[in-house]
Amino acid sequence: MTTIMGATELSACLHQYGLQAGGPARRLPGGHVGQSAVVPTAQGLVVVKRCNRRFEKARVQLAAQAHQHAARAGLAPPLRLTHDGQWTAQVDDAMYTVTEYVDHGEQAGPTVFASALAALHNHFESFSPQGHCEDFLQLPDPPAADLERSRRQTDDAASRQAIDWRMKILAEFGLNARSLAAVPRSWVHGDARPDNLLLTRSPDRRLFIDFDQVSRFPRPYEIVRAFVACISPQLSSHLLGSTFREYLNAYHAVAPIPATDRAIMIDLYITVQAAETRTFTTPQSEIRGMPAFARARHQQLTWITEHRDLLRGVAEEAQP
């Protein structure tokens, strides 16, 4: 989806919710898998989100169900219902959701984010969606299989180089043949990062948005993925270790982390990040037309593997 939402498109979507735009829309930043715009209406500001057209209807509806489930516990801004009682609307071949608007001007630090993520994970224990949808996040099993297949299918030298680098990481850590089938799965947000957490004026109210990638997936992976999204790769080893320790302690205070999860979380994160091909990569070694993001992801994975032993040691420490 590359076109910007126009006034006609927004009007057609809002009509299904019984709303009318009362002024120009303001597009929100981000939007790797969709676009969002803040629209003034007679009933206040709302966020209209258009989901990527490559998402099937079931995926959009699952995201809406997960969002509303979190909203019932005060962990997400509430979704609006259409005239016919649906959480999603359809205009031509695109799917939309409309959310109450909550402004935010700062990002959460690692410990604040950890507490919020733990609360969401706790609440997701009672999430039971209607209908079936394939998980957005998927575990490669064995981890290197998709990489080997992709390498055989590409003639692009840069793509082969990137694949070889990932396979080397998996082989060096003994992860390339390790089965992931037995790793327990739970409901996760799928894209838990500071951009998707709203800090409101109330210090006790932290709201998640963008549930498009909600999936059944091992929570230890999301715990580490969210941590990496909260920090800078410029951290020194000492600060990385202490920040990770504080982050895990903040999560553990809300949702205790079993020792088995602590033991696998770093290797699981590296395995999934190195082996994953379906969601992000293209034959041109870019990510959804975003080569800068692809390079950043490459650098981030390199940085984490360099600090693997340090992070594993912190993760396996006993709680105070």
Side-chain angles (χ1 to χ4, degrees):
M1 177 70 69
T2 57
T3 58
I4 305 300
M5 285 190 286
T8 301
E9 179 183 357
L10 286 169
S11 177
C13 172
L14 291 171
H15 177 72
Q16 298 191 39
Y17 290 86
L19 299 170
Q20 287 185 325
R26 173 169 61 89
R27 187 183 177 194
L28 293 175
H32 298 326
V33 295
Q35 288 187 13
S36 298
V38 178
V39 186
T41 73
Q43 298 183 37
L45 294 174
V46 297
V47 175
V48 176
K49 176 163 186 178
R50 177 177 63 188
C51 296
N52 194 309
R53 283 192 167 117
R54 72 185 180 87
F55 282 181
E56 60 181 12
K57 186 175 183 179
R59 160 59 45 190
V60 180
Q61 292 178 340
L62 175 63
Q65 290 181 62
H67 184 130
Q68 189 59 19
H69 181 76
R72 293 190 186 101
L75 299 172
L79 285 172
R80 279 184 173 264
L81 285 170
T82 64
H83 276 316
D84 58 357
Q86 301 299 312
W87 297 120
T88 62
Q90 185 166 353
V91 177
D92 297 326
D93 62 343
M95 298 289 293
Y96 300 79
T97 56
V98 171
T99 312
E100 302 295 338
Y101 179 65
V102 179
D103 199 2
H104 68 304
E106 60 178 316
Q107 288 191 343
T111 56
V112 170
F113 194 93
S115 298
L117 181 63
L120 182 67
H121 283 172
N122 272 343
H123 187 59
F124 266 164
E125 290 296 333
S126 60
F127 181 48
S128 181
Q130 298 176 346
H132 175 74
C133 178
E134 294 295 325
D135 286 331
F136 188 88
L137 302 174
Q138 296 180 358
L139 281 174
D141 196 16
D146 284 349
L147 291 173
E148 293 167 350
R149 187 182 309 111
S150 297
R151 195 186 192 288
R152 290 194 302 269
Q153 293 174 348
T154 182
D155 295 325
D156 179 72
S159 294
R160 289 199 302 272
Q161 184 179 16
I163 292 170
D164 288 342
W165 165 75
R166 293 184 184 188
M167 292 178 68
K168 182 173 181 289
I169 288 175
L170 293 173
E172 283 183 350
F173 295 136
L175 306 172
N176 53 331
R178 184 179 298 178
S179 175
L180 303 173
V183 181
R185 292 156 173 76
S186 304
W187 285 108
V188 298
H189 180 280
D191 194 20
R193 53 189 174 87
D195 287 349
N196 286 333
L197 182 68
L198 308 182
L199 298 183
T200 69
R201 293 182 179 87
S202 171
D204 298 326
R205 195 162 183 243
R206 298 154 188 164
L207 307 176
F208 280 94
I209 57 173
D210 286 354
F211 290 81
D212 305 324
Q213 300 177 34
V214 67
S215 300
R216 294 278 298 179
F217 207 74
R219 282 196 184 143
Y221 169 79
E222 178 153 272
I223 293 171
V224 178
R225 182 184 184 275
F227 170 74
V228 173
C230 287
I231 61 172
S232 165
Q234 306 303 319
L235 281 180
S236 66
S237 296
H238 173 71
L239 283 177
L240 175 63
S242 61
T243 304
F244 189 43
R245 184 177 296 106
E246 292 169 1
Y247 172 89
L248 290 180
N249 287 346
Y251 184 101
H252 185 85
V254 178
I257 307 174
T260 51
D261 287 359
R262 289 175 169 274
I264 68 169
M265 59 172 47
I266 301 303
D267 283 355
L268 179 63
Y269 173 80
I270 293 173
T271 301
V272 176
Q273 287 288 304
E276 197 280 325
T277 60
R278 179 185 64 86
T279 303
F280 296 103
T281 55
T282 72
Q284 291 74 39
S285 296
E286 296 182 357
I287 301 177
R288 301 187 191 126
M290 295 183 292
F293 185 60
R295 288 191 296 272
R297 187 170 183 263
H298 181 106
Q299 293 167 357
Q300 186 180 70
L301 180 57
T302 300
W303 182 68
I304 290 296
T305 58
E306 290 174 352
H307 294 88
R308 178 217 189 198
D309 292 341
L310 167 67
L311 293 169
R312 283 187 66 181
V314 172
E316 293 174 2
E317 289 176 0
Q319 284 295 318

